Amino acid sequence: MSTDRQAETATAAAEEPAGAQADSDAPEAGTAAAEDQAGTRTDADGAGASAAGEAPPAADATAEDGTGPAAGAGDAGAEDGAGAAGDAGAGPAADATAEDGAGPAAGGGLSEAQAELAAQKVERERIARRKAERERPVEAGAKLSGKAADLLAAVRAVESGAKPSAVYFDEAPAAPRRPAPAPPAPRPAAPAPTAAAVPSADAVEGVRAVLARGGAPESLAGPVAAALGEGAAEELAHNPWRLLAVPAVRPTQADGFARALLGSGAGPGDERRTGVLVGWLLEQAGLKGHTALEAPVLEKALAQYGVPEPAEALEQAIAEASVLVFHEPLGPPVEEGEEQPVRILVGLEGAAMAEESLADGLARLAGTFGGPADWEQAAAAAPDRSSGELVRAVAGHGLVTHTGGEAARAEPLALAAAARGLGLRVCVAAHAPGGADSVTVAGLLSGQEGPGRDADGQFALDLLVVLDAPQLDVESAAALVEGVPDGARLVLSGDPGVLGSAGAGRVFADLLAARTCPHLVSRTPDPGPLGELVSGVGIGELNQVDAPGKEVVIVPVQDAGEAVHRAVQLVAESVPRAFGIPADGVQVITPGHGGPAGTRALNASLKERLNPGPGRFGGFDPGDRVVHVPSPGRALPARVVSADAEGLHLDRAGARIVVPKELVESQVRHGWAVTAHQAVGSRWPAVVVVLPGDAAQSLSRDWVYTAFGRAERHLSVVHGVDQVLPRAVAEVLPKPRTTRLTGLLKALAAAGGQQER
C-alpha cells in the first residue's frame, strides 16, 4: 500500500462525525460490558471509536458504498412467510471494540484464557532468550562495511536506548544477517503458566487517589494498577497520559485528566504525551492487524491528535527505544552505488520480535528437515492426485504451504494419515474444535491439547499440520513454530479467501507472497451449487447458480425488522421442514453485533422462539445455545447446562467447562446468531446469512466468501442490501495490513542463497 493511500486511510476514521462508523463484524478485543457501557462503535475491522466520535487514526475507513451490476443466486421465491414490520431507517446500535474479549480472571484459579496467554508469554520470553544466545552485537565496521555497518550500528544504538545517528532515517538497511551454522543452544523447558500478578490493595488505593485528583472515575484504579504495576500511582502522577494503558480510555479523556493534574503545562506537544501517544497508536494499529506502520502514516496520525511537530515526536520515541524503526527495501536489489528505495516502518518491540523470530523459525525448519525414505510409496497410495502431490512435497521439504477450499481439507488429513503409517509422530491443529484426530492451535500452545513438550520445551512430533492457517496471528505463529523441533516438518494449509486473523499479522498471506517454500494448490473443487457459488465469490463474481435441490435460496426483505422475522422463520420452521435439518444444525451469520438485525437482536428473537426463559443465570437459561470467548479471536460453540455459585456450566462438544460468574458477561454470548469472524473455521449443515440494509458498508469479498462458505448443505441469504452485495463481491477487497514478514523471509532466503554460492 502506498504511503499516500495509507495516510488517507490513517485519518479517515478520525475525520468522520460522531456515530459515523458502522457496527460490524470484527476481530474483537476487550469485554462486552465495557462495550455496552462506553457506547462505542466499531468499523469493519473492529478498532474502537469513542462516544465522542474519536477513532484511532491508524484505522481504515469504512467500506466504500455504491452500486454494481445485479446478480442473484437461487430461487428468490422459494421461501414463504409474512414479513414483520420494522424500521427501515434505524441505524446500528452503539457497539464497542471490545466485543468478545476475555476479561481478567477472578478468584484464585487460573482461567483458560489466562493459561493460554501466560503460555504464549512464556514462549515469547524463551524466543527472546534463544535469539539473544544466537546473536552477538555487531559493531559498525565489524564483518560489515560501509552503509550496512553504519545502519546496523544505528539499529543496535536505538535498541540499547542511545541516540541514533543522523544517517539512521536516510540509509537503506543491508539484508538481515543469517546466523552462522552452529549447534542450537540448549532450550530450557517451558515453565508452567502462572496467574497474572494481582496489584496490591495499597497500589490500587494509591492510583485511586491520583485518579480522584484528576477527576477520573475511581473504577479505573484496578485496571490502571494492573497495567502499570506496583509503582502505578507515582508513574501516573508523573505522566497522566499513561492512563491510556487501560484499553477503554481514549486520548481525549487522557488529555482532560492530564490538564486536571498538571494544569496549563499539559500541552499537546508535551514529550510525555507524545511518547505515550506513539505507542498507543501502534497498539491500535495492532488491533487492526498491522504489525508496523509506515512513518508518514504515524506522523499524520500524531498530527490528527494535535502533536505540533509529529516528525520530531516520532524521532524522540525512536531515540528513547520505546518503538523500533525498520527500513524495508522496495523492488529488486539495485546495482552497487545506486540508492535502494525503501519504506520506513515503525513498530512495537513485541510484534517486531515475533515477526523476526517467526521468520528465523520458518527458515530453520526449511533447512533442517529429515525423515524416512519411503515417502514415495505413501504418495502412490494417496486417495487422489492432489493428496499425492502434497505427500511428495512434504517428502522433500521441511516447510510446505497448501491452499484450497473446504473440500481440500481432506488432503492435509490424508497426508497426516500417510505420515502416521510411516511411523511418524503427527499432530493436526485447527483454529476451531474439530474431529477426534485434531487439536486446536490455542490448546496446543497452552499445553491443554496435543502431544505435549519435551525437556527442551518443544513439541514431541515429527510433522505438524496446521489447518485454517489464515487465522494465525504473528505471535501465535511465532510460538507455534518455535515449538517445532529441528528435523520436523511443518505444513500450513488454508483457504486464502477467508477473513484474516483476529490478531496482528497476515502470516499465511505473507508466507505465500514470499515464495520461499513449496506451495501446493489443491485440484479438488468444492462440489455442488454451494461450491460453485462460493468459488465464484472468491474470484469476485456473484453468479446465479442452478440449485435444483434449493441448496441456495434468496429471501428478499425490505427492512431490518422483516430480516429478523424471516431469519427466525427459516431457523425454526422452513429449513427443518424442507431439509430435515434440526434448528440446532442451522447457524445464523450477520455482519455486526449491534443494530436492529445484529447478533443481539437476532439472538433475542431466536431465544424467544427456540428456548424461551427468564434468563435467570445472567441472561442465560439451561439449553441456551451460546459461544464462549475465552480470549480475543476465539468463539467456541457451547450449550448452557446450569449455573451455581461457581459460575456458568457449559457443555462444549461433550466437555464440561465452568465460566466464573465474574466473566460470564464478557466471555459468553448467545450463539444462535454469530458474526463471520466468529464463524470462521467452523461449518454447519445449514446457514442463514442475514444482510440488512444498514450492513451495506460492512460487506467485502472476504466477508461474503467466509459467510457463504460456512454452509455444508443449504444456504439461505436474507437479502436487504440490493445491489451492494454484488458490488462488494466484485470490488471491495480485504483491507491491507502493514507487516514485515514477507520482506524478512525474502531477505533470509537471499542470504541463504548467497552463502550457498
Side-chain angles (χ1 to χ4, degrees):
M1 181 166 61
S2 70
T3 299
D4 290 343
R5 173 61 180 156
Q6 278 191 315
E8 294 170 4
T9 305
T11 58
E15 294 167 353
E16 290 182 2
Q21 288 82 7
D23 176 19
S24 61
D25 181 16
E28 300 86 7
T31 66
E35 163 202 335
D36 294 332
Q37 292 169 2
T40 61
R41 302 184 178 187
T42 62
D43 68 5
D45 282 330
S50 72
E54 175 188 12
D60 291 332
T62 54
E64 300 171 29
D65 196 8
T67 59
D75 181 6
E79 293 295 334
D80 189 23
D87 181 7
D95 199 9
T97 335
E99 189 62 42
D100 287 316
L110 186 64
S111 72
E112 178 183 355
Q114 285 180 321
E116 176 189 337
L117 295 174
Q120 292 191 23
K121 180 179 179 182
V122 167
E123 287 303 301
R124 290 196 298 271
E125 291 173 348
R126 192 160 59 83
I127 290 169
R129 288 197 299 271
R130 289 194 62 219
K131 286 179 71 65
E133 291 168 356
R134 286 203 307 261
E135 299 179 2
R136 299 188 182 278
V138 177
E139 302 295 338
K143 299 184 181 180
L144 298 174
S145 61
K147 296 180 179 181
D150 291 339
L151 179 65
L152 193 52
V155 171
R156 292 291 185 261
V158 168
E159 293 175 342
S160 65
K163 182 73 175 177
S165 64
V167 77
Y168 188 66
F169 274 94
D170 301 323
E171 302 289 347
R177 290 185 303 115
R178 189 180 183 87
R187 298 178 176 89
T194 56
V198 178
S200 67
D202 290 342
V204 174
E205 190 57 36
V207 171
R208 183 176 288 111
V210 177
L211 292 172
R213 295 206 316 267
E218 294 186 9
S219 59
L220 294 176
V224 170
L228 302 184
E230 287 299 310
E234 293 78 9
E235 185 173 352
L236 191 62
H238 171 70
N239 186 351
W241 290 280
R242 292 291 285 138
L243 195 65
L244 285 171
V246 178
V249 177
R250 319 305 291 179
T252 51
Q253 298 164 327
D255 286 340
F257 176 66
R259 284 192 298 270
L261 277 184
L262 305 178
S264 59
D270 191 300
E271 290 185 359
R272 293 168 292 184
R273 177 182 188 264
T274 57
V276 172
L277 200 54
V278 168
W280 181 83
L281 287 168
L282 289 172
E283 289 171 356
Q284 298 304 302
L287 296 177
K288 301 288 291 182
H290 306 284
T291 60
L293 287 178
E294 290 193 24
V297 175
L298 195 50
E299 290 171 9
K300 190 166 185 178
L302 288 168
Q304 287 292 318
Y305 282 103
V307 176
E309 299 292 341
E312 293 182 8
L314 183 55
E315 285 194 51
Q316 181 65 28
I318 294 169
E320 294 175 353
S322 59
V323 297
L324 302 180
V325 65
F326 311 94
H327 294 68
E328 185 174 90
L330 296 175
V334 299
E335 296 294 333
E336 186 176 355
E338 297 183 9
E339 184 175 355
Q340 175 75 56
V342 299
R343 65 170 181 170
I344 301 173
L345 299 176
V346 181
L348 296 174
E349 182 180 2
M353 178 186 295
E355 276 190 308
E356 291 176 2
S357 176
L358 176 58
D360 287 344
L362 292 172
R364 170 178 63 85
L365 293 179
T368 62
F369 71 98
D374 50 356
W375 284 89
E376 183 56 38
Q377 182 178 356
D384 53 67
R385 181 179 176 184
S386 291
S387 298
E389 291 177 348
L390 181 59
V391 172
R392 290 186 178 93
V394 172
H397 301 86
L399 175 64
V400 175
T401 55
H402 170 264
T403 56
E406 290 296 329
R409 291 172 72 93
E411 295 162 17
L413 295 178
L415 165 67
R420 291 189 183 102
L422 295 173
L424 299 182
R425 301 168 298 171
V426 180
C427 180
V428 178
H431 176 65
D437 294 334
S438 68
V439 302
T440 64
V441 171
L444 180 62
L445 289 175
S446 67
Q448 297 176 350
E449 303 176 58
R453 298 179 186 265
D454 60 20
D456 291 331
Q458 295 194 305
F459 302 124
L461 50 78
D462 302 302
L463 171 64
L464 175 60
V465 178
V466 180
L467 306 178
D468 308 311
Q471 302 311 304
L472 287 174
D473 63 80
V474 67
E475 294 200 8
S476 295
L480 194 69
V481 169
E482 177 67 15
V484 180
D486 292 347
R489 290 168 165 84
L490 173 64
V491 176
L492 298 177
S493 175
D495 188 340
V498 300
L499 290 163
S501 64
R506 52 192 297 272
V507 172
F508 193 52
D510 283 346
L511 182 54
L512 295 178
R515 300 178 181 271
T516 54
C517 68
H519 173 207
L520 277 293
V521 180
S522 173
R523 302 172 185 267
T524 306
D526 289 334
L530 277 169
E532 181 182 350
L533 175 65
V534 174
S535 297
V537 171
I539 60 174
E541 299 175 358
L542 186 62
N543 299 317
Q544 183 171 345
V545 298
D546 184 18
K550 294 185 178 179
E551 293 89 348
V552 181
V553 171
I554 303 298
V555 184
V557 294
Q558 297 298 316
D559 54 48
E562 184 183 1
V564 172
H565 171 80
R566 297 304 298 272
V568 172
Q569 183 185 56
L570 286 163
V571 173
E573 300 175 11
S574 302
V575 173
R577 182 178 64 243
F579 301 98
I581 299 172
D584 282 351
V586 185
Q587 182 64 59
V588 177
I589 300 176
T590 191
H593 294 286
T599 61
R600 294 192 194 93
L602 284 162
N603 276 317
S605 296
L606 287 163
K607 173 174 172 55
E608 183 179 357
R609 179 67 181 273
L610 299 174
N611 194 44
R616 61 184 182 275
F617 301 141
F620 301 100
D621 293 296
D624 275 359
R625 185 169 162 182
V626 298
V627 287
H628 177 218
V629 186
S631 60
R634 296 181 63 203
L636 308 175
R639 193 168 294 276
V640 176
V641 176
S642 62
D644 54 26
E646 189 179 1
L648 192 66
H649 293 250
L650 305 178
D651 183 303
R652 198 172 72 193
R656 293 297 182 93
I657 62 172
V658 180
V659 181
K661 59 182 181 180
E662 304 84 25
L663 301 180
V664 168
E665 186 176 7
S666 63
Q667 292 191 2
V668 183
R669 293 183 174 278
H670 284 109
W672 289 283
V674 298
T675 66
H677 276 96
Q678 291 176 321
V680 70
S682 300
R683 299 190 84 203
W684 293 268
V687 167
V688 176
V689 176
V690 179
L691 302 176
D694 59 13
Q697 291 191 353
S698 302
L699 300 181
S700 61
R701 182 185 300 175
D702 55 340
W703 192 97
V704 177
Y705 184 91
T706 302
F708 286 11
R710 300 312 94 203
E712 294 175 342
R713 293 172 50 192
H714 171 77
L715 170 68
S716 284
V717 181
V718 179
H719 193 329
V721 291
D722 196 29
Q723 300 305 312
V724 173
L725 179 59
R727 180 190 172 280
V729 169
E731 301 178 19
V732 185
L733 301 179
K735 293 183 178 180
R737 300 183 179 190
T738 304
T739 61
R740 300 172 51 235
L741 183 59
T742 296
L744 290 170
L745 290 169
K746 287 182 177 180
L748 285 172
Q754 291 174 358
Q755 285 186 353
E756 291 176 4
R757 290 195 295 272

